[in-house]
Amino acid sequence: MTPLRFGLEEEVFITEPDKPTLQSLYYLARLLWLDPGYYYTHTACNFNRGKDLRWGLMSGIEISTGVFSDTGDLVADLRRRRRELAAVCQGLIVPVGHLFDQVAPTNICGMHVHISGFPDRERAYRNLVYFLPLLALLVINSPIAGSRRYGQSYRWAEAFAIGPLREDRLYRFQDLIESKRLGTLEIRVFDPVWDLERIRILLECIRAVLEAGVDYPGDIETYNRLRRQVALEGYIQELQPIYRELSKLLPVPEVYFQQTPADALGRLWKEQGTLATYTALDNAYRNGILQPRPLKPMRVRWPLMLAGFCGYYLPRMPYSIKKVLSEW
């Protein structure tokens, strides 16, 4: 039997100090020329759209892993990619689904998991649909919008690039798709999170669900009814039977779903404010410690923005165009 294979795309904000700027392109340029053979196809940049341009042009940036059968190897590769990004980045690396002081549905970051190698695609899709409202809580990480507590994930509930499931699985902007470009099942619902241990558990849960010899009743209508409620409230009563089914496959403590990353960030933000929380997230991304630290001086310079545009955006434009066309 062909083993399951996993890849991961992680989007994060780089703020200087509280908003992304086009200087993010300079950091991507430095990363690209560190290893052109890899980062030409394993990075990307995103921009605001429409009325959200009032917050600035730049949104998040993306790095992606290789493809692995062993989830431990994937997490190790992600750790390496994070380390390399951190080495070239002078701004704050902020792994959240949505920035705290904005209400901007196009200014979002996600974590996308690609899976291939399953023998029964229909069963794989249904089983993922059944468990996704629960699994999303492992990494849910977008609790603040417009400088107010939103719930668990503003991004999941409000963002333009994901959404309720449709009968057409190739339609790109929904929570779970069949990737037209890669031929994988792509889970798009997850928020980015600093905690590599939670990512490891998430990947192991996905593996257990897909390797289970059970056909779970994954129903699109039920999923779409649950998604917004879970994004607002978290571990609701209706998820408890799903957790019991998951615990038969993998012994994950229930506390991982009851106490989410969004809860931890919400408390930190309430006690210390937005910038302190961003420094804590940067610290966690770089060092694994969710603890605020002094904000270092930052300077945004036009020459670096121009260097990023010429050294990253322009060289990658042919690949970016090809990628967009293949996804549509």
Side-chain angles (χ1 to χ4, degrees), residues 266-312:
R267 288 191 297 270
L268 184 57
W269 170 82
K270 185 176 181 180
E271 293 169 0
Q272 303 204 37
T274 293
L275 271 179
T277 305
Y278 287 0
T279 67
L281 284 162
D282 178 76
N283 195 12
Y285 187 93
R286 295 174 188 266
N287 306 309
I289 304 169
L290 186 68
Q291 180 176 322
R293 54 183 180 178
L295 183 65
K296 61 186 179 181
M298 295 182 183
R299 185 180 175 192
V300 179
R301 294 184 286 176
W302 282 103
L304 295 186
M305 296 183 193
L306 182 60
F309 181 78
C310 296
Y312 179 78

Side-chain angles (χ1 to χ4, degrees), residues 10-49:
E10 179 178 69
E11 297 170 338
V12 297
F13 295 105
I14 299 175
T15 65
E16 297 180 280
D18 59 341
K19 292 180 175 58
T21 74
L22 290 177
Q23 199 157 280
S24 296
L25 297 178
Y26 172 68
Y27 307 134
L28 284 172
R30 293 185 63 189
L31 192 62
L32 171 63
W33 297 108
L34 178 71
D35 186 352
Y38 184 84
Y39 284 117
Y40 188 82
T41 57
H42 286 76
T43 56
C45 58
N46 300 305
F47 301 101
N48 281 330
R49 308 177 184 204

Side-chain angles (χ1 to χ4, degrees), residues 32-71:
L32 171 63
W33 297 108
L34 178 71
D35 186 352
Y38 184 84
Y39 284 117
Y40 188 82
T41 57
H42 286 76
T43 56
C45 58
N46 300 305
F47 301 101
N48 281 330
R49 308 177 184 204
K51 65 180 182 180
D52 291 340
L53 286 168
R54 70 189 186 277
W55 301 106
L57 179 59
M58 193 71 204
S59 183
I61 63 103
E62 177 187 305
I63 58 173
S64 57
T65 68
V67 179
F68 300 91
S69 296
D70 187 290
T71 54

Side-chain angles (χ1 to χ4, degrees), residues 60 175 189 212 297 299:
D175 295 350
V189 66
R299 185 180 175 192

Side-chain angles (χ1 to χ4, degrees), residues 71-285:
T71 54
D73 290 341
L74 187 152
V75 173
D77 189 54
L78 178 61
R79 181 181 291 108
R80 173 189 172 187
R81 305 304 163 191
R82 286 183 170 189
R83 187 166 57 245
E84 291 179 345
L85 174 62
V88 301
C89 179
Q90 298 168 3
L92 296 176
I93 303 175
V94 182
V96 292
H98 180 264
L99 293 171
F100 291 178
D101 61 344
Q102 303 183 8
V103 178
T106 73
N107 194 16
I108 55 166
C109 286
M111 183 179 70
H112 304 163
V113 177
H114 289 263
I115 315 134
S116 60
F118 27 76
D120 187 336
R121 181 176 287 260
E122 289 301 314
R123 173 188 281 184
Y125 181 87
R126 286 194 302 272
N127 286 4
L128 285 173
V129 169
Y130 180 73
F131 284 101
L132 270 186
L134 176 70
L135 295 183
L137 289 175
L138 284 170
V139 294
I140 203 163
N141 194 31
S142 181
I144 312 298
S147 297
R148 299 178 63 182
R149 183 66 191 257
Y150 179 84
Q152 294 287 321
S153 180
Y154 173 86
R155 172 185 168 272
W156 189 8
E158 307 288 351
F160 85 105
I162 54 177
L165 299 181
R166 304 182 178 207
E167 294 296 332
D168 180 7
R169 299 179 190 174
L170 293 176
Y171 176 74
R172 182 161 177 75
F173 294 152
Q174 55 184 321
D175 295 350
L176 173 64
I177 69 170
E178 293 190 9
S179 173
K180 190 174 180 180
R181 178 170 64 94
L182 299 175
T184 59
L185 282 181
E186 179 183 353
I187 306 173
R188 298 173 56 85
V189 66
F190 302 131
D191 290 341
V193 71
W194 69 90
D195 191 336
L196 288 172
E197 177 62 11
R198 280 183 173 267
I199 294 175
R200 183 193 65 79
I201 293 170
L202 172 65
L203 294 170
E204 286 301 310
C205 287
I206 294 171
R207 178 189 291 280
V209 165
L210 294 179
E211 291 181 345
V214 181
D215 199 340
Y216 292 98
D219 174 69
I220 288 177
E221 184 176 330
T222 300
Y223 175 87
N224 289 341
R225 177 175 54 79
L226 286 175
R227 66 185 297 278
R228 185 176 182 87
Q229 187 178 0
V230 176
L232 289 169
E233 301 176 33
Y235 190 57
I236 60 176
Q237 186 173 359
E238 199 166 346
L239 294 183
Q240 293 175 12
I242 302 175
Y243 169 75
R244 289 194 290 270
E245 292 294 333
L246 179 67
S247 64
K248 295 175 186 177
L249 305 176
L250 197 71
V252 182
E254 193 173 15
V255 69
Y256 275 98
F257 306 96
Q258 296 169 326
Q259 300 176 16
T260 66
D263 292 331
L265 286 193
R267 288 191 297 270
L268 184 57
W269 170 82
K270 185 176 181 180
E271 293 169 0
Q272 303 204 37
T274 293
L275 271 179
T277 305
Y278 287 0
T279 67
L281 284 162
D282 178 76
N283 195 12
Y285 187 93

